[in-house]
Amino acid sequence: MPPTTRIKTLLAQRRQQQLYRQPRIAGCAQQAHMQIDGKAYLSFCSNDYLGLANHSAVISAFQQAANQWGVGSGSAHLINGHSQPHQQLEEALAEFTGRERALLFSTGYMANLGVVSALMQDGDRVYQDRLNHASLLDAAKLCGARQIRFQHNNPQHLVQRMQRQTTGQAMILADGVFSMDGDTAPVRTLATLARERDAWLMIDDAHGFGVLGDNGAGLLEQEALTQDEVPILMGTLGKALGTAGAFVAGSHELIDYLIQTARTYIYTTAQPPAVAAAALTSLRLVKQEGWRRAHLKHLIQQFRSGAAQLGLELMPSQTPIQPLPVGDSGAALALSQRLAEAGMLVTAIRPPTVPKGTARLRITLSAGHSTEDVARLLEALAHSSHTNAGSARVAQAAP
Ligand SMILES: *Cc1c(COP(=O)(O)O)cnc(C)c1O
């Protein structure tokens, strides 16, 4: 059989199962009102939660830094690619998160792969919330440890699973804010469990960093959890901070160890220094412009109460991620298409990103939206969701 036979079959299957995906082409910067594939939309699908990706101060920090530092970093951090903007950003992130030290990675995906595979190995145990981000699942696969998944946000189930086996080092991994559900992990309980059982605890706060906490330092600020309680914090810069890259924050010793051993830190080109400079400016805006978080909170309440009035059942989320459960992949796709016809860009999230039978619309709100924007979305949902409720019921009745 020619090698292309398998991919032809898999592609056909994807299409048939309504799981086929394709990137759309944005014709403008990230913002609420966007041009996509040549059409105008009001967008509710970006992770630019604070509206900083296209902020004039962030852009000019980037431009000025590019003038001074050029574009490419030239090499990995440990060769000669680690510049002053990188160093300043690491120091600012450590201070902001209340950790001793922070380390930059080029993406959040790489940060997760790097940390887990540096700390864990064959014979160890990695415990994962079932709804953890794909990069955490892949990280555990890569490190060779046993991967044990526990029921979503169910610490009791985690305890049961931890009691079964006690050899090797243990690590508990959880998203801070679950990316497809919008709910938050019971971090304080996880911290107690980890301490009692001498396990590492790592929280991936990709969606909480910049958004949660009075100052925007994320879920661990909101829950007042220190470095002793949560020794490994991962945050990304491509979401609320509106730039790109990621960091891991923790003790001097942990970061020192990661510098020596995290392969996705060592064997990759450092992010462009101008990106670090832009992120520094974003970080300043996160701290200084608390109104962005306040406005976002207001929009979340507006959306949730409006949806309740329409009889739409949302998931229990207090974050800017507000999923609308549909169930069937085809029905989710159809609803997303009807909304697109009404000028609303909302992505249908389907397996394998979420478990089978739990396809949904993932609506994300941003401080870049106005209350009128949210009102328009609610209106479009009121017109588009009737037929959808019917097909969702049909889907649930099917095996
Ligand atoms: C987006 C995301 C990542 C990956 O971060 P990138 O910087 O986009 O690679 C990791 N974990 C979670 C929970 C995420 O949502």
Side-chain angles (χ1 to χ4, degrees), residues 112-185:
N112 285 343
L113 294 189
V115 174
V116 177
S117 56
L119 293 169
M120 305 300 281
Q121 58 190 41
D122 197 14
D124 291 340
R125 293 162 289 137
V126 176
Y127 296 92
Q128 305 242 20
D129 187 290
R130 208 169 257 167
L131 296 189
N132 275 354
H133 191 260
S135 57
L136 290 173
L137 305 181
D138 292 357
K141 261 192 220 164
L142 181 66
C143 76
R146 243 190 96 190
Q147 169 146 234
I148 303 153
R149 293 168 83 173
F150 59 92
Q151 288 163 10
H152 174 54
N153 276 355
N154 186 344
Q156 259 175 318
H157 190 231
L158 170 60
V159 170
Q160 282 171 19
R161 305 229 73 178
M162 289 187 93
Q163 272 158 353
R164 280 220 204 130
Q165 226 196 343
T166 50
T167 51
Q169 175 67 55
M171 175 184 263
I172 301 170
L173 288 179
D175 284 19
V177 174
F178 288 87
S179 49
M180 297 300 140
D181 289 55
D183 55 348
T184 53

Side-chain angles (χ1 to χ4, degrees), residues 47 106-110 112 133 135-136 175 177 179 204 206-207 234 236-239 245-246:
N47 300 317
S106 296
T107 72
Y109 200 116
M110 296 218 286
N112 285 343
H133 191 260
S135 57
L136 290 173
D175 284 19
V177 174
S179 49
D204 172 344
H207 296 277
M234 193 286 271
T236 66
L237 307 172
K239 287 170 178 149

Side-chain angles (χ1 to χ4, degrees), residues 7 53 91 101 113 121 176 197 202 210 222 244 285 292-293 304 323 339 342 350 353 380 382 396:
I7 63 172
E91 288 170 14
R101 198 169 168 191
L113 294 189
Q121 58 190 41
R197 280 145 217 274
M202 172 168 173
Q222 181 183 290
L285 294 171
R292 290 178 189 276
R293 273 182 298 285
R304 289 191 68 85
L339 287 169
R350 294 162 283 163
T353 307
Q396 270 164 8

Side-chain angles (χ1 to χ4, degrees), residues 86-118:
H86 293 125
Q87 182 63 28
Q88 283 168 3
L89 179 57
E90 286 181 347
E91 288 170 14
L93 288 166
E95 195 199 329
F96 186 48
T97 56
R99 266 61 190 162
E100 284 171 11
R101 198 169 168 191
L103 188 67
L104 287 174
F105 284 79
S106 296
T107 72
Y109 200 116
M110 296 218 286
N112 285 343
L113 294 189
V115 174
V116 177
S117 56

Side-chain angles (χ1 to χ4, degrees), residues 50 52 55 284-294:
L50 297 179
L52 296 177
H55 188 286
R284 178 172 60 74
L285 294 171
V286 165
K287 289 189 257 190
Q288 288 175 352
E289 301 193 345
W291 64 264
R292 290 178 189 276
R293 273 182 298 285

Side-chain angles (χ1 to χ4, degrees), residues 248-270:
V248 174
S251 70
H252 283 298
E253 194 178 33
L254 173 74
I255 301 303
D256 193 21
Y257 177 78
L258 292 176
I259 291 172
Q260 317 308 316
T261 56
R263 295 169 65 85
T264 58
Y265 171 80
I266 301 168
Y267 297 107
T268 198
T269 304

